[in-house]
């Protein structure tokens, strides 16, 4: 058994994980970072690179206003302490990431330049861009990891956290290239393994690596998750060809002031889309589809032509080309040149983009389990029921840094566990290779992903959720009987099997929370409870594992 | 109408010669090479190994060789008779998966980063050259290395167009303090024959923006 020891173990090497690892190393701790993909990938590297920095006093923006925007956007489900932490550290986080090597968009004098048009829901402009989009963040993250004195385990998937007497003492993972398990004994463990967008594959624009490992790992270690029902759907995604299903093609703002949504019969479904939230637009699209208004491709038609035909049409086209470039490239590829020139309507369907729910922590990223921390999309409570555009990149650096700092400080007060604590978990990994059951992990993954889209998608009700709950239980049973080839090196099936276990836990946590929230709030829309419940205090849905099953409990939000 | 493609299979654990295997694919609107891999893995042969990520030409993880040229599997349409193999000139773990580990080591050993900046709590005045922005669009797919006749992984994994792009990025970074031209020379850029065979599948102008700059 290969065993390593470290003060701080960081799981995940997107923006949150890298920030945590570098900060922990700066704090004098020994650090190991484990990443399923190469270092510095994850959703961070495919993002648009637009990040909220601190409020600009020159335009009258304040920290209070930023906090208010986020909580209004999140429909009150946010943990106010976390939101305040994000806003107060936003500039520090910006400076930290530039110190890693990044360069955000600048004006002619070389000063940080905020975008003219803030993303939806922001009352003032605080977003800055990355001229090299997410890819440039990838270069920065990899450089920062290379520069810091941290030990790197690339393409290693963490399968379980190790728990002794209720405290996390490290983790076990599989090195995919060699097929060898590895155990890491750690005094502090940080989860920064991202969200769960690909729990809805192919209806997602997220990396396939983010399937809910963060949540599965945390639940199984005894941690609590909050508001897992809050899954963000970007309203506009591509419907065809199949290879492009789920690709993102826009925010509500992309519709412009005059864009219209039409159904297959050419009837108007929605106009004045621009000021609406992602959740509101996604909901209306799904309701119309349920009424039978979908095109043969399965979406609705987003028609931007009225923007061009109106006065100042060229201005709109110019702006679209400037701001919407990455989206237009996707449109061109899927729907052709005319569509990319806005002369033909686009077939659109919501696509999963982000999970607002996540591991419950305090503002220093401590979970309820001793020695376990969480940051980035893994963490919950920051965004409430709806994330405003550009705030996640702030979140990952602010809380990554905080998690690294706390984990390093507190590691000094703890001791290592003994290696035998890892024996069972390592054995479970070894047993995957050549497993002789009858179910292929990838088939079960696909069945679960289909189920999540069909029954736990942008529109849910008690019947669909209860059916999902039963079917998840069924897949769980099948998952005890896996068939996996015995090949050691780069065995995709072993990887799938580990992901499947995390996916099942995450899916169940989403379903039980969605069942318990008998109202429509934020991104969670119940067709059997279409209104927001303003008669009662606002509550978070808190999930933990009890006897292997998710148990949910509503807790009033404290201001 | 169904199509048949040939995929080169190999396992570094057992060694031996790579083997071309034919696969017949179902009909699908504009099927991509990545979809073909997924179809085969899910329905035909569970042992097929391949790497991918974003599906939409953004991450660079899916680069393979199609009919002898590097391509992103996710953005390449399948055609009857296509021959698909792992990127050339690279160490192979299995099937379509190259060993990328050395390229992180390169970042560390060649100090492919800017020096640690003083943490002043606020941002600096920075003027970013346009060429820097262009070079940052490299998705680190490693395809360029696979097309350079001079690139020999076993001899020196650090001397190839990919590392030249990284060095050029840093050369244009206003905060860089290391002489990256000197470094390129020490690494052996002088052995580059300027043959321009290195090819970027993501639109980086390797010759103008990296090799010429560093050779100057
Ligand atoms: C297309 C797209 C565009 C976006 N654009 C923006 C934007 O412009 N602005 C904005 O604010 N937000 C944006 N977002 C959201 C934002 O990018 C993400 O929320 C954020 O980057 C998440 O960072 P993270 O570090 O928490 O996770 P990720 O960057 O997703 O990193 C997760 C890491 O964990 C690793 N991992 C996963 N499971 C395991 C495991 N079991 N063991 C080991 N490692 C594991 C992965 O390999 C990866 O390294 C966008 C998202 C998408 C999908
Ligand atoms: S120009 Fe230089 S780097 Fe490019 S292929 Fe020729 S030898 Fe290789
Ligand atoms: S320069 Fe081009 S081909 Fe080479 S790694 Fe970068 S993106 Fe790939
Ligand atoms: S899968 Fe990301 S570029 Fe092809």
């Amino acid at each position: 058994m290969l065993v390593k020891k470290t003060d701080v173990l960081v799981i995940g090497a997107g923006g949150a994980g890298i920030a945590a690892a570098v900060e922990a190393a700066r704090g004098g701790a020994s650090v190991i970072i484990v990443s399923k993909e190469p270092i510095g990938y994850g959703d961070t590297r495919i993002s648009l690179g637009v990040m909220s920095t601190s409020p600009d006093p020159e335009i009258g923006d304040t920290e209070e206003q930023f906090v208010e925007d986020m909580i209004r956007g999140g429909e009150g489900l946010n943990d106010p302490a976390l939101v305040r932490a994000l806003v107060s550290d936003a500039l520090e986080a910006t400076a930290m990431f530039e110190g890693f090597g990044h360069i955000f968009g600048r004006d002619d004098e070389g000063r940080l330049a905020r975008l003219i048009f803030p993303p939806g829901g922001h009352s003032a402009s605080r977003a800055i861009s990355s001229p090299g989009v997410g890819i440039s963040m990838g270069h920065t993250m990899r450089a920062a990891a290379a520069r810091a004195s941290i030990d790197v385990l690339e393409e290693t998937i963490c399968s379980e956290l190790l728990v002794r007497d209720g405290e996390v003492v490290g983790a076990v993972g599989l090195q995919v290239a060699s097929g060898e398990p590895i155990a890491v004994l750690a005094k502090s463990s940080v989860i920064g393994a991202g969200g769960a967008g690909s729990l809805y594959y192919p209806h997602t624009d997220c990396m396939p690596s983010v399937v809910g490992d963060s949540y599965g790992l945390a639940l199984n270690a005894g941690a609590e998750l909050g508001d897992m029902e809050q899954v963000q759907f970007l309203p506009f995604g591509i419907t065809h060809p199949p290879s492009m299903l789920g690709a993102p093609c826009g925010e509500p703002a992309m519709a412009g002031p005059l864009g219209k949504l039409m159904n297959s019969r050419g009837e108007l479904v929605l106009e004045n889309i621009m000021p609406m939230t992602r959740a509101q637009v996604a909901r209306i699209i799904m309701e119309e589809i349920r009424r039978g208004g979908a095109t043969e491709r399965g979406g609705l038609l987003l028609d931007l032509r009225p923007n061009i035909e109106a006065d100042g049409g060229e201005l709109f086209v110019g702006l679209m080309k400037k701001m919407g470039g990455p989206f237009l490239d996707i449109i061109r590829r899927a729907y052709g040149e005319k569509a990319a020139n806005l002369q033909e309507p686009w077939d659109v369907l919501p696509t999963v983009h982000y999970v607002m729910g996540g591991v419950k922590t305090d503002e220093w990223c401590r979970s309820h389990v001793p020695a376990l921390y969480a940051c980035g999309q893994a963490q919950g409570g920051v965004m409430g029921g709806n994330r405003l555009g550009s705030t996640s990149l702030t979140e990952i650096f602010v809380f990554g840094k905080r998690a690294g700092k706390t984990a390093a400080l507190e590691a000094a007060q703890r001791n290592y566990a003994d290696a035998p604590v890892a024996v069972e978990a390592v054995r479970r990994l070894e047993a995957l290779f050549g497993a002789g059951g009858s179910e292929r992990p990838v088939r079960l993954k696909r069945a679960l992903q289909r189920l999540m889209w069909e029954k736990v998608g942008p529109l849910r009700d008690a019947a669909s959720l209860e059916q999902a709950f039963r079917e998840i239980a069924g897949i769980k049973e099948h998952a005890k009987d896996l068939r996996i080839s015995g090949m050691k090196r780069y065995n995709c099936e072993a990887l799938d099997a580990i992901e499947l276990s995390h996916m099942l836990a995450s899916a169940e946590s989403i379903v039980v929370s969605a069942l318990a929230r008998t109202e429509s709030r934020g991104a969670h829309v119940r067709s059997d409870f279409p209104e927001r419940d303003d008669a009662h205090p606002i509550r978070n849905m808190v999930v933990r594992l009890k006897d292997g099953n998710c148990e949910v409990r509503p807790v009033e939000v404290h201001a | 109408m169904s199509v048949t493609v040939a995929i080169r299979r190999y396992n570094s654990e057992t060694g031996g010669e790579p083997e071309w295997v034919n696969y017949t694919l179902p009909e699908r609107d504009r099927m991509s090479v990545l979809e073909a891999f997924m179809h085969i893995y899910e329905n035909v042969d569970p042992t097929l190994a391949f790497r991918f990520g974003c599906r939409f030409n953004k991450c660079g993880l899916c680069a393979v060789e199609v009919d002898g040229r590097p391509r992103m599997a996710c953005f390449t349409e399948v055609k009857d008779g296509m021959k698909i193999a792992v990127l050339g000139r690279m160490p192979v773990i299995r099937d379509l998966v190259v060993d990328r580990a050395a390229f992180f080591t390169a970042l560390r050993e060649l100090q492919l980063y800017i020096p640690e900046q003083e943490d002043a709590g606020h941002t600096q005045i920075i003027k970013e050259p346009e060429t820097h922005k262009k070079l940052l669009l490299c998705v680190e797919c490693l395809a360029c290395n696979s097309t350079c006749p001079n690139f020999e992984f076993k001899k020196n994994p650090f001397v190839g167009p990919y590392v030249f792009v990284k060095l050029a990025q840093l050369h244009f970074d206003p905060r860089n303090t290391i002489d990256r031209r000197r470094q390129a020379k020490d690494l052996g850029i002088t052995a580059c024959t300027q043959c321009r065979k290195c090819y970027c599948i993501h639109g980086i102008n390797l010759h103008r923006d990296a090799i010429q700059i560093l050779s100057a």
Side-chain angles (χ1 to χ4, degrees):
Chain A
M1 187 168 79
L2 178 57
V3 183
K4 288 193 173 219
K5 282 188 181 182
T6 185
D7 293 333
V8 176
L9 166 66
V10 178
I11 301 160
I18 297 281
V22 171
E23 187 67 15
R26 278 187 186 154
S30 59
V31 181
I32 292 180
I33 188 164
V34 183
S35 165
K36 194 193 283 185
E37 300 161 294
I39 294 294
Y41 281 56
D43 278 357
T44 311
R45 190 167 170 276
I46 61 163
S47 76
L48 289 178
V50 179
M51 171 175 131
S52 280
T53 187
S54 56
D56 180 3
E58 275 179 37
I59 55 166
D61 193 15
T62 62
E63 293 199 356
E64 294 72 52
Q65 207 170 309
F66 192 173
V67 170
E68 246 171 63
D69 286 351
M70 283 187 66
I71 296 181
R72 189 181 334 105
E75 297 197 40
L77 290 178
N78 324 57
D79 180 338
L82 297 186
V83 179
R84 283 194 292 269
L86 177 140
V87 170
S88 74
D89 289 8
L91 182 60
E92 193 186 307
T94 312
M96 173 193 73
F97 198 57
E98 289 206 325
F100 285 0
H102 198 62
I103 304 178
F104 285 106
R106 290 227 162 6
D107 63 16
D108 292 340
E109 270 78 60
R111 290 173 311 200
L112 207 60
R114 291 173 179 77
L115 298 177
I116 307 167
F117 298 100
H122 291 273
S123 62
S125 174
R126 11 184 118 103
I128 49 180
S129 67
S130 303
V133 292
I135 281 300
S136 59
M137 300 192 131
H139 291 296
T140 300
M141 293 188 284
R142 288 164 63 70
R147 190 178 71 188
S149 67
I150 56 186
D151 194 358
V152 158
L153 291 171
E154 275 194 299
E155 296 199 294
T156 299
I157 176 173
C158 177
S159 59
E160 292 181 45
L161 291 167
L162 298 169
V163 184
R164 186 198 55 188
D165 301 331
E167 180 180 1
V168 170
V169 292
V172 161
L174 178 72
Q175 303 181 85
V176 181
S178 64
E180 296 301 331
I182 179 167
V184 178
L185 302 176
K187 295 179 185 171
S188 295
S189 300
V190 180
I191 301 181
S198 288
L199 200 47
Y200 288 81
Y201 167 91
H203 294 277
T204 181
D205 63 356
C206 295
M207 287 290 271
S209 57
V210 291
V211 279
D213 297 25
S214 291
Y215 313 126
L217 290 167
L219 276 175
N220 279 298
E224 291 184 336
L225 307 181
D227 296 331
M228 288 301 291
E229 77 285 356
Q230 299 294 342
V231 176
Q232 183 166 66
F233 295 83
L234 213 57
F236 307 138
I238 298 286
T239 59
H240 65 283
S243 62
M244 303 229 17
L245 179 59
C249 62
E251 300 275 338
M254 276 298 268
L258 299 173
K260 291 183 164 85
L261 266 171
M262 321 288 284
N263 67 16
S264 60
R265 295 180 295 275
E267 295 156 354
L268 178 72
V269 176
L270 186 65
E271 51 190 345
N272 199 16
I273 301 166
M274 209 170 160
M276 297 177 76
T277 66
R278 293 169 173 178
Q280 287 163 338
V281 180
R283 168 185 196 158
I284 288 164
I285 294 176
M286 294 313 286
E287 282 170 345
E288 177 60 26
I289 289 175
R290 207 167 266 191
R291 280 194 295 269
T295 66
E296 58 180 323
R297 305 296 195 167
L300 293 187
L301 295 169
L302 177 63
D303 192 348
L304 302 183
R305 283 174 298 190
N307 291 301
I308 311 180
E309 287 152 11
D311 287 347
E314 311 84 69
L315 204 73
F316 176 77
V317 175
L319 205 64
M320 280 289 273
K321 295 215 160 125
K322 188 151 178 267
M323 316 278 291
F327 292 142
L328 293 181
D329 290 345
I330 299 250
I331 289 288
R332 184 170 301 112
R333 177 90 191 172
Y335 301 156
E337 198 57 43
K338 262 185 110 176
N341 287 330
L342 319 182
Q343 288 155 344
E344 254 174 23
W346 307 344
D347 212 272
V348 294
L349 184 67
T351 188
V352 176
H353 186 59
Y354 183 89
V355 177
M356 272 78 68
V359 182
K360 277 190 81 74
T361 70
D362 66 11
E363 62 269 39
W364 288 98
C365 303
R366 300 178 189 97
S367 76
H368 291 75
V369 178
L372 182 64
Y373 309 80
C375 54
Q377 200 175 143
Q379 185 187 13
V382 184
M383 306 297 174
N386 181 41
R387 172 172 82 79
L388 304 185
S390 78
T391 51
S392 177
L393 295 176
T394 324
E395 155 194 64
I396 64 181
F397 300 134
V398 164
F399 292 104
K401 191 167 195 267
R402 283 179 168 237
K405 190 178 224 158
T406 324
L409 260 176
E410 296 179 357
Q413 303 147 23
R414 302 189 184 110
N415 300 314
Y416 289 118
D418 296 325
V421 71
V423 168
E424 283 304 311
V426 166
R427 235 175 243 154
R428 274 190 284 277
L429 280 181
E430 286 165 345
L432 291 176
F433 291 86
S438 50
E439 302 283 351
R440 288 206 47 208
V442 69
R443 295 288 184 88
L444 298 181
K445 268 177 74 168
R446 297 289 179 256
L448 181 59
Q449 287 160 329
R450 205 174 318 120
L451 180 72
M452 291 304 284
W453 172 252
E454 285 169 4
K455 306 293 176 199
V456 201
L459 258 192
R460 304 116 184 227
D461 58 41
S464 75
L465 292 169
E466 273 156 17
Q467 189 183 343
F469 186 82
R470 285 191 301 273
E471 288 191 30
I472 289 171
I475 299 174
K476 247 186 185 174
E477 272 312 301
H478 290 308
K480 292 177 182 159
D481 181 35
L482 296 180
R483 185 174 81 239
I484 298 172
S485 89
M487 266 185 203
K488 292 284 268 187
R489 295 198 182 162
Y490 217 91
N491 186 326
C492 299
E493 296 193 289
L495 195 70
D496 279 334
I498 298 167
E499 287 185 342
L500 177 63
S501 70
H502 297 315
M503 288 168 74
L504 283 163
S506 303
E508 191 176 316
S509 73
I510 294 174
V511 172
V512 297
S513 307
L515 267 170
R517 188 174 293 288
T518 47
E519 63 169 339
S520 292
R521 183 183 292 274
H524 169 73
V525 181
R526 291 273 303 250
S527 48
D528 49 350
F529 294 96
E531 302 297 325
R532 193 164 83 179
D533 176 4
D534 287 324
H536 296 93
I538 304 175
R539 298 174 315 170
N540 294 126
M541 294 301 157
V542 179
V543 172
R544 68 169 160 204
L545 220 54
K546 197 167 175 224
D547 306 324
N549 296 308
C550 286
E551 189 186 64
V552 62
R553 131 182 146 262
V555 176
E556 272 181 34
V557 176
H558 49 87
Chain B
M1 199 197 71
S2 67
V3 295
T4 302
V5 298
I7 296 181
R8 204 171 69 178
R9 307 288 309 267
Y10 174 72
N11 185 354
S12 62
E13 203 174 348
T14 47
E17 281 300 302
E19 187 190 353
W20 287 97
V21 181
N22 284 329
Y23 298 94
T24 303
L25 303 166
E27 199 185 324
R28 193 182 291 175
D29 177 19
R30 289 177 272 167
M31 182 186 251
S32 70
V33 169
L34 176 59
E35 282 180 293
F37 296 162
M38 289 166 116
H39 169 80
I40 295 163
Y41 171 64
E42 288 174 32
N43 304 290
V44 184
D45 185 346
T47 67
L48 182 72
F50 57 105
R51 206 189 253 123
F52 74 105
C54 66
R55 296 191 284 141
F56 311 128
N57 199 28
K58 293 199 278 188
C59 75
L61 281 175
C62 67
V64 290
E65 221 163 71
V66 176
D67 292 335
R69 298 294 285 164
R71 296 276 181 264
M72 295 297 183
C74 64
F75 259 39
T76 304
E77 261 175 57
V78 155
K79 298 222 163 46
D80 195 37
M82 240 178 198
K83 298 185 82 156
I84 305 161
V86 71
L87 287 179
R89 299 176 180 275
M90 302 277 280
V92 182
I93 298 175
R94 218 154 64 66
D95 299 340
L96 302 159
V97 179
V98 297
D99 190 345
R100 297 184 59 102
F103 299 93
F104 187 79
T105 314
L107 300 183
R108 197 159 258 178
E109 295 199 352
L110 304 180
Q111 293 182 283
L112 298 177
Y113 43 74
I114 59 162
E116 184 134 13
Q117 305 291 296
E118 193 189 330
D119 188 358
H122 57 79
T123 57
Q124 311 172 12
I125 299 288
I126 302 175
K127 295 198 175 162
E128 184 182 16
E130 287 306 311
T131 313
H132 185 251
K133 294 181 191 169
K134 284 187 198 148
L135 287 165
L136 285 182
L137 295 176
C138 160
V139 291
E140 306 189 66
C141 67
L142 305 174
C144 49
N145 277 355
S146 77
T147 54
C148 166
N150 251 2
F151 177 70
E152 277 183 67
F153 183 87
K154 280 205 191 92
K155 231 162 95 189
N156 189 344
F158 299 168
V159 189
Y162 164 75
V163 162
F164 298 154
V165 169
K166 294 299 270 189
L167 287 170
Q169 282 175 359
L170 286 152
H171 171 81
F172 283 110
D173 191 314
R175 301 155 300 178
N176 170 53
T177 51
I178 297 176
D179 184 345
R180 303 295 175 175
R181 279 188 176 137
R182 179 68 202 271
Q183 219 182 342
K185 210 166 270 152
D186 292 346
L187 280 170
I189 200 172
T190 38
C192 159
T193 59
Q194 311 278 335
C195 71
R196 302 190 183 212
K197 287 202 171 122
C198 45
Y199 165 71
C200 170
I201 44 177
H202 216 68
I204 303 275
N205 191 329
L206 283 166
H207 198 73
R208 187 193 64 203
D209 292 341
I211 293 164
Q212 273 189 345
I213 297 290
L214 293 170
S215 314

